[in-house]
Amino acid sequence: MGCSQEPFIGHYRSLLKIVAANGNDRFRFMETLFHVLRFGFEAYGIDNAPVVKMIGIDIGKHLSASFESSTPEALFNEIARFLEFHGDCRVSVITGNSPALRVEDDFKAGSMPVTGKPFCALREGIIEGIIKEKLEKECGVLEVECYGTGHNHCLFEITV
């Protein structure tokens, strides 16, 4: 879990200022607090992405009971609607040999700095957990493009 990359101390410090400025807004405070924790670990040299993804998988597995679809394509579309509702974003399902979910206009991710690596490990895990549990088969979800890597969207490739 050690992080061998340059710690994100500058971004961490800016988030500390934002969390203090949002002290009177319950939603914004909690949202910023989550980001402070995420980048705070990295600022102190700990790569928490693997653990965050595992937690996301656990969440996704538990959420899967509320999904009705039983085929991959239908489930991907249902997950897209779920992400749009909870993420205030637009999600496109890419079908074919290499299915993927493309997330755009995510105001939370869009406001994060370009760090050179993806930072949506929780979402990656949630998607994977839903698919694994609902389809009862092993799969993988990998974020290959992200606002954090300089893209104007996040792209989650799915292997089923």
Side-chain angles (χ1 to χ4, degrees):
M1 283 188 51
C3 184
S4 62
Q5 294 185 354
E6 183 70 24
F8 301 148
I9 195 72
H11 184 61
Y12 174 62
R13 287 184 179 144
S14 69
L15 283 169
L16 289 171
K17 291 176 185 173
I18 294 169
V19 78
N22 289 321
N24 293 327
D25 181 332
R26 291 171 73 188
F27 176 77
R28 292 284 300 154
F29 177 79
M30 291 305 294
E31 180 180 55
T32 308
L33 188 62
F34 174 75
H35 291 300
V36 168
L37 288 171
R38 165 77 167 88
F39 285 96
F41 277 107
E42 295 223 13
Y44 285 102
I46 299 171
D47 179 8
N48 66 353
V51 173
V52 171
K53 181 171 181 175
M54 291 302 301
I55 292 168
I57 290 170
D58 292 340
I59 291 168
K61 286 180 176 182
H62 282 83
L63 285 172
S64 70
S66 63
F67 287 78
E68 297 176 0
S69 302
S70 58
T71 64
E73 283 188 29
L75 184 58
F76 300 159
N77 284 304
E78 195 174 354
I79 291 170
R81 289 189 301 275
F82 175 85
L83 293 175
E84 286 178 345
F85 178 77
H86 290 288
D88 195 24
C89 56
R90 192 174 70 250
V91 181
S92 304
V93 177
I94 301 168
T95 57
N97 291 340
S98 189
L101 297 174
R102 181 182 169 113
V103 179
E104 298 175 277
D105 297 331
D106 186 330
F107 78 95
K108 293 174 199 150
S111 66
M112 301 304 281
V114 174
T115 61
K117 63 181 187 176
F119 51 71
C120 302
L122 184 65
R123 186 176 281 168
E124 185 181 74
I126 290 171
I127 296 166
E128 186 172 315
I130 292 168
I131 296 169
K132 280 181 175 182
E133 193 72 14
K134 198 65 189 174
L135 298 180
E136 297 178 342
K137 60 179 9 178
E138 280 304 308
C139 74
V141 174
L142 182 63
E143 184 179 23
V144 295
E145 296 175 0
C146 179
Y147 290 92
T149 57
H151 294 86
N152 63 351
H153 61 271
C154 296
L155 184 67
F156 298 91
E157 288 186 349
I158 303 166
T159 55
V160 182

